Amino acid sequence: MIEKRSPLASIVSYLFLFLVAVFNIVPLFYMVVGSFKTESEHAASPFAMPNALQWENYSRAWEVANMGTYFMNSLIVTFGSLIVTVFLGSLAAFFLARFKFKLRGFTYAVFLLGMLVPIHATLIPIFMIMKNLSLLDTYASLILPYTAFHLSLTIFILEGFMRGLPKDLEESAVMDGAGIYRIFWSIILPITRPAMATVLILNFIYNWNEYLFALVLISKEAIKTLPLGIASFVGIETASLTLQMSALTIALIPIIIFYLLLQKQLVNGMTAGAVKG
Amino acid sequence: MHTLKRTKLAIFLGLLPSLIIYIGIAVVPIGLSLYYSLFNWDGITDKVFIGFDNFTKIFGDDIFWLSVKNNVIIMLTGLVGQIPLGLAIALLLNRSLKGASFFRTVSFLPVVISSVMVSLIWGMIYNTEYGFLNGFLGLIGLESWQRNWLGDPSWSMISLSVAYIWQNFGLYMIIFLAALQNIPAEVNEAAELDGSTGLHRVFRITVPMIRSTILVAVIYSISNSFRVFDLVQILTGGGPAHQTEVMTVYMYNAAFLSRQFGFGSAVSILILLFSLIVVSLVNKVGREKDA
């Protein structure tokens, strides 16, 4: 839609958008600049630019904050849950979308219900379950709930996509005598790639950022994920703000790169996730 | 299509693992929460059945009602802060505007950052001695405006709300933008022929066209507001003196700091109930207007 606007309206629009952009960028910019200062520079004036870039803040933050461990744990937990969720979810979606059976509608409805459940209502029982299974302070204690809570959305998106595929897709394969799982693996799954991308990105970002389950289920330093680890680091390392800023910047960089690279898919996925969830 | 007997087994085996994990970890615990809520229990020693005493105790606790009030504030922040801001930006970006993709990218950026990071970053902004905000006020000669933004009870909820808006408005912007781009071109052409322009057209034609999307956004925003935890827990921990406590933090503190598992479970059931009630009310009102 192209429309002529008065110059005044344009200026006001730009001014507004510009202010919003400043509002969004300044906190991040402030943190990145601060991360390059010495402690005394920052204390003297939070606004001044650093005299020299203190790269050693970064190496120190990496060491002191155990960033390597946290990154590793986050990768394991995020990808562990992501693989289990997408594999099980696509299998379930396949049967729900391409077959007729008695409890199909009911099963589907049960899965969808999960999108309404706030995780807080399950937190205490999940803690007890993990405790009784002796799973506290293990990767599994996070992978299981992450999977359970994201199966709903995963199945919802994949089922919708698979249902829309033409009906005769499997027929020739059935004629050739291919088994059901073979049809799933070599016919349906490859075509589902676009929806799969959405689901993978959504699961990645939700798992990578999750905090509450980690807070409750993990207390060992060696198993902490990035959000949990960095929150406790900042809570402990209150003496050095610049060190905190370096640690935060280290944690922020991968997600910003990920965002800039996959912006379109990420935005579409998260919008779908919000609207459907 | 698939009529073989073996397919039944295949279907069963295909759905079983998902169902076990999902029901075992997302569904059964809701029932367990309800069950635990009837007991006095520290999670270690034997449970003592006390009926609805936990609920009576919760309803008699001023701090609980304070946390409910704060949840309402967070909810209103979403409704009058995030959604209108998101809508305004979406409307501006829905035109051929130079730099639109830059503004879109920047607006959405905070949405992908974990709420932990958002909270820690805002903690530095609000830091009394070395924070950005007080530093900035000092720089422009407004020392008298400097505050302990998170520690001053009359400002702490406002400070939290600003961070909450920052974190989420981009999501609504994108949702609205997607809806606006789906409005058929004929609608705008017709409006043009009728001589409807500017703000008049925006409020009379464009906004009503995306009514259902706005309703979805409102419902999402409300249900989200009941789930706020990370931001409050990290920025203020519910303090000063419970002034910023929300229901989820109240529940977390009861269960995992005071070891009152039964009491905490009762709170979690109330969170679930409140959010279901408000969301279904809004849904009902919204749909009635549609008819």
Side-chain angles (χ1 to χ4, degrees):
Chain A
M1 172 171 74
I2 297 158
E3 187 192 335
K4 276 181 223 153
R5 268 188 294 172
S6 67
L8 181 71
S10 296
I11 292 171
V12 172
S13 309
Y14 270 111
L15 193 68
F16 177 71
L17 288 171
F18 176 76
L19 284 176
V20 171
V22 168
F23 175 59
N24 268 12
I25 290 176
V26 158
L28 302 176
F29 183 73
Y30 169 71
M31 180 186 72
V32 175
V33 171
S35 72
F36 284 108
K37 293 184 188 175
T38 65
E39 202 54 33
S40 55
E41 272 177 331
H42 184 71
S45 162
F47 276 97
M49 285 290 159
N51 285 325
L53 298 183
Q54 305 294 324
W55 287 104
E56 68 267 23
N57 283 350
Y58 279 83
S59 47
R60 256 183 65 220
W62 181 269
E63 289 283 315
V64 180
N66 287 329
M67 298 293 282
T69 315
Y70 301 155
F71 262 107
M72 203 53 190
N73 291 335
S74 268
L75 283 173
I76 292 171
V77 170
T78 299
F79 283 97
S81 341
L82 188 138
I83 290 165
V84 178
T85 312
V86 172
F87 179 71
L88 294 183
S90 57
L91 198 58
F94 167 66
F95 286 109
L96 290 170
R98 310 297 290 182
F99 291 81
K100 287 187 186 122
F101 52 96
K102 230 188 260 162
L103 291 172
R104 199 209 75 84
F106 176 74
T107 314
Y108 182 64
V110 167
F111 273 122
L112 285 207
L113 219 61
M115 292 197 273
L116 292 174
V117 177
I119 61 166
H120 311 92
T122 63
L123 203 57
I124 295 169
I126 287 177
F127 174 80
M128 290 313 298
I129 290 171
M130 295 303 166
K131 196 179 153 194
N132 291 334
L133 296 173
S134 303
L135 286 177
L136 288 179
D137 278 321
T138 64
Y139 296 129
S141 72
L142 293 181
I143 291 176
L144 284 170
Y146 290 0
T147 302
F149 279 92
H150 296 146
L151 270 174
S152 297
L153 189 59
T154 303
I155 289 175
F156 180 74
I157 293 174
L158 293 179
E159 201 269 354
F161 188 90
M162 290 179 184
R163 178 173 293 274
L165 298 173
K167 281 219 155 57
D168 48 8
L169 208 56
E170 295 107 321
E171 265 164 24
S172 59
V174 172
M175 300 290 180
D176 292 348
I180 288 171
Y181 283 92
R182 166 136 204 105
I183 292 171
F184 166 68
W185 192 255
S186 30
I187 297 178
I188 299 294
L189 216 47
I191 316 180
T192 313
R193 237 178 279 146
M196 203 64 89
T198 306
V199 161
L200 284 171
I201 288 171
L202 270 181
N203 272 294
F204 173 82
I205 201 96
Y206 290 159
N207 294 338
W208 185 262
N209 288 342
E210 206 281 336
Y211 174 63
L212 183 53
F213 276 127
L215 176 68
V216 168
L217 301 172
I218 304 294
S219 52
K220 251 195 215 135
E221 195 59 31
I223 313 289
K224 282 182 181 172
T225 55
L226 198 56
L228 178 63
I230 201 138
S232 50
F233 168 72
V234 170
I236 296 160
E237 186 59 57
T238 46
S240 174
L241 277 173
T242 56
L243 210 58
Q244 289 182 17
M245 289 174 166
S246 310
L248 284 174
T249 307
I250 293 172
L252 193 65
I253 290 167
I255 208 77
I256 289 192
I257 292 174
F258 180 71
Y259 171 55
L260 294 178
L261 284 180
L262 290 173
Q263 196 188 149
K264 195 159 166 264
Q265 292 90 329
L266 196 102
V267 165
N268 290 344
M270 288 189 82
T271 315
V275 172
K276 284 156 189 165
Chain B
M1 272 198 298
H2 305 282
T3 45
L4 296 162
K5 278 257 165 177
R6 275 172 46 207
T7 54
K8 273 195 177 163
L9 183 68
I11 293 172
F12 180 71
L13 289 178
L15 289 170
L16 194 63
S18 300
L19 279 172
I20 289 176
I21 294 183
Y22 170 72
I23 291 179
I25 295 179
V27 180
V28 168
I30 298 174
L32 283 175
S33 274
L34 201 57
Y35 173 72
Y36 291 165
S37 73
L38 305 175
F39 291 87
N40 185 4
W41 186 37
D42 59 6
I44 300 158
T45 53
D46 288 344
K47 302 182 193 68
V48 181
F49 183 80
I50 53 166
F52 289 101
D53 281 8
N54 282 327
F55 292 94
T56 326
K57 219 168 100 194
I58 293 168
F59 289 135
D61 185 359
D62 290 343
I63 296 171
F64 173 73
W65 291 111
L66 189 61
S67 74
V68 173
K69 189 191 102 188
N70 287 332
N71 267 113
V72 172
I73 294 177
I74 293 281
M75 185 170 89
L76 293 177
T77 301
L79 295 179
V80 303
Q82 293 173 343
I83 290 184
L85 187 58
L87 185 58
I89 298 168
L91 287 166
L92 289 175
L93 295 182
N94 189 36
R95 310 170 169 222
S96 47
L97 187 90
K98 267 207 185 100
S101 73
F102 166 78
F103 290 118
R104 200 179 55 222
T105 303
V106 169
S107 296
F108 194 76
L109 177 62
V111 182
V112 300
I113 301 174
S114 72
S115 48
V116 169
M117 297 285 293
V118 170
S119 313
L120 295 173
I121 292 168
W122 278 89
M124 291 173 177
I125 302 277
Y126 290 137
N127 186 300
T128 317
E129 278 172 89
Y130 306 112
F132 173 86
L133 194 51
N134 280 347
F136 181 71
L137 290 170
L139 200 73
I140 58 172
L142 286 173
E143 277 89 354
S144 60
W145 288 24
Q146 291 175 342
R147 294 270 178 301
N148 181 354
W149 297 102
L150 294 169
D152 180 342
S154 49
W155 282 93
S156 48
M157 266 324 279
I158 297 173
S159 306
L160 277 181
S161 299
V162 171
Y164 184 60
I165 292 176
W166 189 85
Q167 180 184 23
N168 280 324
F169 80 85
L171 183 64
Y172 300 101
M173 184 268 302
I174 289 285
I175 293 173
F176 293 137
L177 199 54
L180 288 172
Q181 282 161 356
N182 277 335
I183 296 180
E186 300 93 72
V187 172
N188 288 315
E189 282 158 21
E192 200 126 347
L193 287 178
D194 288 349
S196 170
T197 53
L199 284 178
H200 182 262
R201 185 206 291 185
V202 166
F203 286 107
R204 284 298 154 88
I205 296 168
T206 315
V207 172
M209 284 295 289
I210 59 165
R211 252 195 112 262
S212 60
T213 306
I214 294 176
L215 181 66
V216 169
V218 164
I219 291 172
Y220 182 74
S221 160
I222 292 174
S223 82
N224 229 6
S225 72
F226 283 99
R227 301 178 189 205
V228 163
F229 174 83
D230 306 3
L231 196 67
V232 179
Q233 203 257 350
I234 292 172
L235 267 179
T236 65
H242 305 288
Q243 287 304 312
T244 59
E245 205 152 300
V246 289
M247 284 190 279
T248 52
V249 173
Y250 182 80
M251 180 211 96
Y252 174 83
N253 289 346
F256 295 101
L257 300 184
S258 318
R259 292 257 143 208
Q260 297 172 289
F261 275 41
F263 185 83
S265 296
V267 179
S268 76
I269 292 297
L270 289 175
I271 297 173
L272 180 67
L273 276 182
F274 283 8
S275 92
L276 287 181
I277 289 170
V278 176
V279 166
S280 55
L281 270 181
V282 172
N283 205 356
K284 200 160 165 264
V285 172
R287 301 234 187 275
E288 263 169 18
K289 276 198 177 166
D290 262 351

